[in-house]
Amino acid sequence: MVDLSEHLVLAQSVKRGQPVEPAWSAPIPARTCRNGVPQLADAVGDFIGDLLLEHGGIDSQLVVSLPRQAAHWRVVEWASAQHPVDSIDELRDLNPDLRLPFALDDAYVDVQPLPGNRSSSLVVAAARSVVEAWVEVFAIAGGTLQHLLPAQVCLMGALSDELTATPASTLVALLQPLDEQTVLTLWRQGVPEFERLLPGAMPELLPALQQGLDFYRSNHASKAPVRLLLAESMPDLEGLEQALGLEAELLERDGFGSLVLQGLAGLELAQ
């Protein structure tokens, strides 16, 4: 399995949905990717191919998550008040304005039902040109590309237990440290409703996080309690908890190198 980000390749061997060895990682060469899109397919493909050869994965069946920036997620509500059987075809027929930077006709689309919310679905879309560029990269790299999935879908899979167990009146806030930024994502009743890029480190992170939480709550759920989840351990965590008046929960990854890899393994096991 491979978790791609803007600047990093993170990979791990998995058998029957469980990691069989520690994850390994390597930085993607500078200026070869931008906004989750490979700019130099030959260079990125050769680089990943060398890594697969080095780590014994050149003959592997590869299950890969797209970089977060490569896909966009939206929540749709169905007029029928339930997730359609042929949800992708239904979505394409309706062709709603999802405010995507591309037309639905020019996109690969994944539509997932939301737990506990039969009238809404999660839509994750990526431009065909972006997906095809990554397919080309892995054709150059070698190995067999079995599945290419959006990071957002993998993340939802990794958090399914937490989202299901959290009371409907409580917001779930997830902090994901990236290379130089931190992603804040808020779920309400199992539905992702808010996402914002924050500074990567203290002290700039704290006021930006507080502002994001205050903005959402003032517009949607002013008195809702917040459950704060961390994808990775963070420095000065005690100061963060004290300033927010919240107790942060570091998510267990059960031996996986990232939440995305954990969710990717669960999704692959369910295929």
Side-chain angles (χ1 to χ4, degrees), residues 174-232:
L174 174 68
L175 289 180
Q176 293 176 272
L178 300 179
D179 303 298
E180 298 178 352
Q181 294 178 303
T182 300
V183 180
L184 167 66
T185 309
L186 290 177
W187 282 265
R188 184 183 182 193
Q189 298 179 7
V191 179
E193 292 197 344
F194 181 84
E195 187 170 78
R196 179 169 289 183
L197 281 174
L198 308 177
M202 303 292 187
E204 294 84 4
L205 171 61
L206 181 55
L209 172 57
Q210 186 70 70
Q211 184 182 45
L213 291 173
D214 290 346
F215 173 81
Y216 178 83
R217 293 171 81 185
S218 65
N219 285 278
H220 301 283
S222 60
K223 297 182 180 180
V226 176
R227 183 183 182 188
L228 181 61
L229 306 179
L230 304 181
E232 306 278 351

Side-chain angles (χ1 to χ4, degrees), residues 73-115:
W73 56 351
R74 302 288 187 268
V75 175
V76 297
E77 291 191 13
W78 302 103
S80 60
Q82 61 182 354
H83 183 89
V85 176
D86 299 318
S87 54
I88 294 178
D89 291 339
E90 182 82 9
L91 184 72
R92 291 194 184 280
D93 289 342
L94 291 171
N95 194 28
D97 182 8
L98 299 178
R99 298 185 180 181
L100 297 168
F102 42 78
L104 275 179
D105 286 344
D106 298 324
Y108 286 103
V109 179
D110 186 270
V111 182
Q112 297 283 335
L114 288 164

Side-chain angles (χ1 to χ4, degrees), residues 136-151:
E136 181 184 357
V137 163
F138 280 94
I140 294 168
T144 301
L145 182 59
Q146 196 167 23
H147 296 296
L148 190 61
L149 297 171

